[in-house]
Amino acid sequence: MCNRYHSPDEGYIQQYWRLNPRQLGLGARDVFPRSPGGFIRRAVDDPGYSKELAVGRWGLIPWFSKAPDIKYSTNNARAEEVADKASFKDPWKRGQRCIIPATTFDEPYWGPYEAQFKKCEWWRFKRADGDPWGLAGLWNIWTDRATGEVHESYTMLTLNADGHEIMGKMHKNELNPDTKKPLPLDHQDKRSVIPIELADVDQWLEGSIKDAQALLKLAPVEVFAAGPA
């Protein structure tokens, strides 16, 4: 699952996704879990439909959390589980979907490194066409009952990538509990981010749950330009 990505600058995000200019101050463009990042959502104060850029914590804070600095990881959410998982089901049902802009994202490739060096080699993923990624996500607003402070946050959706020629090779191999040897690649729960193409952004942000589910799919291999970081 993705734990590091590089964000485009604020002006480019607004231009590429055709947003109304807002000076938010995205800060650092290398984004890590629990750090602030930008995300595009349906504008919350528009009774019609428009898009806006927001800034929040990468790692969704669920409604039942007692503090904003939760200890467990919520920066990724399995798309197959969002309708039922307590941390994500309410934002999913409310249609709080977002686009996470990324110039690149990084994933660990083990491959021969796993056997030879007992560590991974980091790979960097760009789009082959040179455009930025628009990655599928969910967002939420959490309010501290003690202080009234409002916290924005978001999570990045992932999908099973078993068998995918590129994403199916990322992350550490899962072992057979009996033999302690790596399972075949098509029997492991390899994961991939979910790119939302520019033409599908409105469907993702404004559409019904059924509309959104139709976009939960892996990108073809030819979309990726990937290699050691």
Side-chain angles (χ1 to χ4, degrees), residues 124-194:
R124 182 150 294 161
F125 291 79
K126 302 178 182 179
R127 284 187 63 107
D129 59 13
D131 287 345
W133 297 103
L135 304 177
L138 297 173
W139 63 273
N140 196 36
I141 294 176
W142 181 87
T143 302
D144 190 321
R145 294 182 180 178
T147 66
E149 185 177 5
V150 174
H151 296 263
E152 301 259 20
S153 62
Y154 64 99
T155 187
M156 189 179 292
L157 298 185
T158 68
L159 198 63
N160 179 274
D162 291 353
H164 193 276
E165 292 182 36
I166 295 180
M167 300 308 296
K169 297 177 181 178
M170 298 298 116
H171 302 281
K172 194 168 186 178
N173 287 328
E174 296 179 54
L175 302 181
N176 184 311
D178 298 321
T179 65
K180 305 302 180 184
K181 294 182 179 180
L183 291 165
L185 287 179
D186 59 355
H187 286 72
Q188 301 192 34
D189 187 21
K190 300 291 188 175
R191 310 298 300 176
S192 173
V193 296
I194 307 170

Side-chain angles (χ1 to χ4, degrees), residues 72-94:
Y72 57 92
S73 175
T74 57
N75 57 293
N76 291 147
R78 293 170 183 259
E80 302 92 335
E81 301 175 351
V82 290
D84 301 307
K85 193 134 188 176
S87 296
F88 309 119
K89 65 180 182 180
D90 284 354
W92 175 253
K93 290 177 182 177
R94 289 194 293 259

Side-chain angles (χ1 to χ4, degrees), residues 55 64 83 104 158 166:
V55 177
F64 54 80
T104 62
T158 68
I166 295 180

Side-chain angles (χ1 to χ4, degrees), residues 40-133:
I40 300 163
R41 65 185 173 193
R42 181 172 181 167
V44 295
D45 294 327
D46 186 349
Y49 171 71
S50 61
K51 303 184 291 290
E52 68 179 4
L53 180 63
V55 177
R57 174 190 188 271
W58 185 23
L60 189 141
I61 307 170
W63 65 270
F64 54 80
S65 180
K66 295 181 179 179
D69 189 21
I70 55 179
K71 302 303 180 185
Y72 57 92
S73 175
T74 57
N75 57 293
N76 291 147
R78 293 170 183 259
E80 302 92 335
E81 301 175 351
V82 290
D84 301 307
K85 193 134 188 176
S87 296
F88 309 119
K89 65 180 182 180
D90 284 354
W92 175 253
K93 290 177 182 177
R94 289 194 293 259
Q96 292 173 198
R97 300 182 291 269
C98 65
I99 298 287
I100 302 165
T103 306
T104 62
F105 64 90
D106 295 345
E107 299 283 5
Y109 170 65
W110 290 80
Y113 274 67
E114 185 171 9
Q116 188 173 358
F117 302 112
K118 304 297 183 184
K119 64 179 182 180
C120 70
E121 177 183 36
W122 282 97
W123 276 35
R124 182 150 294 161
F125 291 79
K126 302 178 182 179
R127 284 187 63 107
D129 59 13
D131 287 345
W133 297 103

